Amino acid sequence: MTPPAARVLELRGICRDFGLEQSVPALSDVNLSLDRGDWLAITGPSGSGKSTLLNIIGCLDHPSSGSYLIDGIDTAQLSDAMRAGLRSHYIGFVFQSFHLLPYRSVLENVMLAEVYGHHAPAGRRERALDAIGRVGLAQRADYSPMRLSGGERQRVAIARALMAAPSVLLCDEPTGNLDTKASKAILDIFADLNRHDGLTLIVVTHDENVAGRAMRRVSIVDGRLSEAAGAPAPAPARPPAPAAGRDVPPSRISLRDLANEALAGIFSRPGRMALTVLGVVIGLAALVATAGLSRTAGNSVISKFDRLAATELFISGRPGQTTGIVDPAALPWDGPARLRRLNGVVAAGTLSDVDVGEAMVSASPVHDPRQQSAFKLSVRAASPELFPAVRATLRAGRAPDAGHSARADRVAVLGPDAAARLGITGLEQLPAIFVGDQLYLVIGLLDSVARKPELLSSVIIPEGTARHLFRLAGPGLIVVETRIGAAKLIADQARLALRPDDPRALRVEVPPEPRRARDEAQSDLNMMFLMLGGLSLIVGAIGIANIMLVGVMERTAEIGLRRALGASRAHITAQFLMESASLGALGGVIGASIGVLIVVGVAAYQTWTPVLDPAAPLLAPLAGGIVGLLSGTYPALRAARLEPVEALRH
């Protein structure tokens, strides 16, 4: 009987069934043992189960029943990670389709065999060059596999298999894609490895010439294995050896190798890499740009807002506690004059709503039933001092003065919206309007106001005219403009200045604290822009996930190769996650740079001072990495779930 140390593998009662609802047997009660240094050829017709048996021997597939020992290790007791370790340490594969990575050189393809193995990275290049030299391709080490012939590619695959110093070399139709000359060269290499190195070979083949070179031959038909006629009898099957429970050295990959493999995977498809990065670039560029523009524009807008809001007061009558009605005479007519005597008041004027009843405003005394010519517009009375108080600018004409008010002249100033509705675009023809049946000469057209925007759609008449024609009892509101910093003091003094008899009859609207108002407005702007940037980033993340998922499907054969070389599910997951995170981080760097340039460019065009949060460009790569990591999680897990045999078959 063969000593235990010489027994490489042993299969006892191996069965493999496929199908869930109706089981289809692919292997039935297979018993096979192989000693160290054997060269076994497995033959049989297509579909007989040869590849299935080879996949089970290579730990790429699981038997449905039976036991399988390799170097005394019971594979039925191994986890997926331990099976990966077993492949990386004990088994070498040579495939019919070569399974060389086209974006890696011959040398890099061969070195890949040690990435998941137990060898230290030191000296890996020298060992790979030695393996390449043994198969006669030393001069092709830096070539791309796409530049090699079929026979040369198969030699590269053999060199890769030899790198891990396996206990057994499994060859699936190794000459199936080669011509006669190349096939003979490959068989000569096998013979040399078997004779001089004592390497154990298992070759699945249809070719009688290949099977004839083997020391031993078995045939498989309909899933049943039988020893070929004239072949030496196999050693009798033995119970599992005591060594079956020993530990399996785990497969592993260093951080450096993981980074190298991830980078190689990223740059293997430059076009796809660019599209993947583009999603994050757009998202983070939008996020950095919108955050910067919100601060830059907000700084400009809020600065103007501060200067405006911090210098205005609105004074009106307070509703009665019992009636809830405002006394129409609560404010004195000479209120603006009283307020202007206070130190810190720049301008003050009265503004009142005029009750014109059902009167319509029109630009013509003739009613045209075919089109609307009369409108219901707000009529407001203003003192001459109101226009500077609201910072009004006129597009044409002039504002009413004290003489107009004292004489109760029928003159009016139109807001731009009111003028547009009435069809008045200029004052060259001395336009007039009717309020009811009363004619008013238009002497001015407003262009804009900084305060009281309702004036833009109003007809504004002199205060004296409203008192005379519409019996206006008192001002409705006094608008006050103060110097910076004086608003709060004027608010305290205004009640006594206007109503020393009853200060509580007045209500003074004090501007909000500038800092608080600024913070609230800035917060609203930031939230709006960040939502836009965040939405762009989500779109970019979905793009990464889609492209990574497509990449997983396209790289299925590569995943199968890596699993065959000893990569565990965790290794595959880690590689794809590192690829997606690296792409996200790269997109973050580019996106942050573009975002900063956008902010600076817009600020220069608008003559603003660019304001950037220094943390945004620094955190963008981190944010991109996190987005890439999250986006690549599902594709990475899907890649890891692929069974090696299914991936290789694809």
Side-chain angles (χ1 to χ4, degrees):
M1 181 180 296
T2 305
R7 184 61 52 87
V8 177
L9 59 86
E10 187 168 3
L11 293 86
R12 301 180 66 248
I14 293 294
C15 297
R16 182 66 172 101
D17 300 329
F18 292 98
L20 297 176
E21 297 181 359
Q22 185 174 0
S23 179
V24 177
L27 295 176
S28 301
D29 194 28
V30 172
N31 294 280
L32 178 67
S33 59
L34 202 66
D35 296 336
R36 200 171 307 280
D38 279 353
W39 180 352
L40 175 68
I42 302 177
T43 61
S46 297
S48 60
K50 302 187 302 300
S51 294
T52 302
L53 176 60
L54 198 69
N55 291 332
I56 289 177
I57 294 174
C59 292
L60 298 174
D61 197 7
H62 302 264
S64 302
S65 61
S67 65
Y68 168 40
L69 279 71
I70 180 169
D71 272 359
I73 300 171
D74 189 355
T75 60
Q77 301 176 7
L78 302 181
S79 64
D80 181 80
M82 295 176 72
R83 292 171 71 86
L86 192 69
R87 290 193 294 271
S88 68
H89 288 82
Y90 293 98
I91 304 173
F93 293 92
V94 177
F95 304 100
Q96 179 181 359
S97 299
F98 318 132
H99 286 299
L100 301 178
L101 302 183
Y103 56 88
R104 310 291 288 273
S105 68
V106 167
L107 178 61
E108 290 170 333
N109 269 280
V110 174
M111 290 170 63
L112 185 64
E114 283 194 1
V115 167
Y116 307 101
H118 58 282
H119 294 286
R124 179 181 298 168
R125 179 183 178 86
E126 290 71 21
R127 289 191 295 272
L129 288 172
D130 181 65
I132 295 172
R134 292 192 63 185
V135 296
L137 292 178
Q139 72 281 9
R140 300 283 197 269
D142 295 325
Y143 278 40
S144 164
M146 306 304 294
R147 297 176 58 189
L148 303 180
S149 66
E152 289 174 329
R153 293 184 195 181
Q154 194 63 286
R155 294 189 192 189
V156 175
I158 295 171
R160 180 181 60 196
L162 297 178
M163 273 286 287
S167 296
V168 59
L169 183 64
L170 305 183
C171 309
D172 187 5
E173 298 285 358
T175 61
N177 291 333
L178 306 180
D179 57 29
T180 303
K181 183 178 178 180
S183 298
K184 182 178 183 304
I186 295 300
L187 292 176
D188 289 342
I189 292 174
F190 286 161
D192 182 69
L193 292 171
N194 178 254
R195 182 170 56 253
H196 293 99
D197 295 5
L199 183 62
T200 306
L201 296 171
I202 299 179
V203 179
V204 168
T205 183
H206 285 96
D207 192 336
E208 289 295 329
N209 293 326
V210 176
R213 296 286 293 269
M215 298 168 51
R216 179 180 164 201
R217 178 175 175 179
V218 295
S219 178
I220 185 168
V221 178
D222 295 333
R224 296 187 177 277
L225 192 71
S226 60
E227 201 77 19
R238 297 175 290 116
R246 75 186 189 194
D247 293 335
V248 178
S251 64
R252 61 186 181 184
I253 183 171
S254 67
L255 185 60
R256 178 180 178 181
D257 283 334
L258 181 62
N260 288 337
E261 294 305 311
L263 289 176
I266 289 173
F267 288 100
S268 64
R269 296 169 177 83
R272 175 152 296 164
M273 179 195 73
L275 290 175
T276 306
V277 171
L278 184 61
V280 183
V281 168
I282 293 174
L284 281 172
L287 195 62
V288 172
T290 51
L293 288 175
S294 72
R295 295 174 69 90
T296 301
N299 184 65
S300 176
V301 172
I302 299 303
S303 295
K304 296 177 182 178
F305 170 79
D306 283 350
R307 291 193 296 271
L308 184 67
T311 59
E312 65 185 17
L313 290 176
F314 302 108
I315 306 172
S316 60
R318 187 184 298 276
Q321 294 183 352
T322 57
T323 63
I325 300 174
V326 178
D327 181 4
L331 291 171
W333 289 111
D334 63 344
R338 297 185 189 186
L339 292 173
R340 283 196 299 274
R341 291 196 291 267
L342 299 177
N343 186 25
V345 173
V346 175
T350 62
L351 178 66
S352 308
D353 292 334
V354 179
D355 185 7
V356 297
E358 298 299 322
M360 304 288 282
V361 179
S362 66
S364 171
V366 179
H367 176 67
D368 187 351
R370 292 174 299 176
Q371 61 181 5
Q372 186 176 2
S373 58
F375 304 92
K376 185 67 176 177
L377 297 177
S378 299
V379 179
R380 292 184 166 87
S383 66
E385 300 85 359
L386 176 74
F387 293 92
V390 297
R391 296 187 183 181
T393 57
L394 292 170
R395 187 172 75 233
R398 55 171 291 186
D401 57 22
H404 291 112
S405 183
R407 295 188 301 269
D409 291 341
R410 295 185 183 181
V411 294
V413 174
L414 301 180
D417 296 340
R421 296 186 69 182
L422 294 170
I424 297 174
T425 59
L427 303 179
E428 295 81 5
Q429 303 298 323
L430 300 178
I433 62 172
F434 285 87
V435 179
D437 56 359
Q438 297 178 355
L439 184 65
Y440 289 78
L441 179 66
V442 179
I443 63 172
L445 298 176
L446 280 180
D447 184 55
S448 64
V449 292
R451 300 184 177 95
K452 309 307 290 181
E454 57 267 29
L455 293 174
L456 299 176
S457 59
S458 301
V459 176
I460 307 166
I461 63 176
E463 183 180 75
T465 304
R467 292 175 65 183
H468 178 70
L469 297 178
F470 296 99
R471 301 291 186 268
L472 188 64
L477 179 72
I478 297 179
V479 180
V480 183
E481 180 174 11
T482 72
R483 291 188 175 90
I484 294 284
K488 188 169 181 60
L489 178 62
I490 300 301
D492 294 337
Q493 297 174 349
R495 292 186 179 90
L496 287 173
L498 296 174
R499 290 294 301 271
D501 60 321
D502 187 10
R504 300 183 61 184
L506 302 181
R507 179 175 60 185
V508 181
E509 296 182 30
V510 183
E513 181 69 25
R515 182 177 296 276
R516 178 180 177 186
R518 180 191 182 100
D519 291 344
E520 290 177 354
Q522 184 71 61
S523 176
D524 292 341
L525 283 171
N526 287 343
M527 182 59 66
M528 178 183 68
F529 281 113
L530 286 175
M531 287 178 64
L532 292 174
L535 181 61
S536 301
L537 195 58
I538 290 174
V539 172
I542 294 174
I544 289 181
N546 286 335
I547 294 176
M548 288 294 296
L549 192 57
V550 171
V552 167
M553 290 165 29
E554 285 191 351
R555 295 168 64 184
T556 300
E558 176 189 336
I559 295 169
L561 170 65
R562 293 182 181 275
R563 294 299 306 277
L565 294 178
S568 65
R569 296 185 191 274
H571 296 152
I572 299 297
T573 303
Q575 178 175 336
F576 276 87
L577 286 179
M578 182 168 284
E579 288 183 18
S580 60
S582 299
L583 288 172
L586 178 61
V589 172
I590 300 174
S593 303
I594 294 175
V596 170
L597 292 176
I598 290 174
V599 173
V600 173
V602 172
Y605 180 77
Q606 296 288 348
T607 65
W608 294 339
T609 301
V611 180
L612 281 167
D613 187 344
L618 298 177
L619 292 178
L622 177 61
I626 293 174
V627 168
L629 196 66
L630 295 177
S631 303
T633 297
Y634 173 70
L637 293 177
R638 178 164 178 170
R641 284 198 298 266
L642 290 173
E643 290 293 338
V645 63
E646 294 297 331
L648 285 169
R649 185 179 295 125
H650 174 84

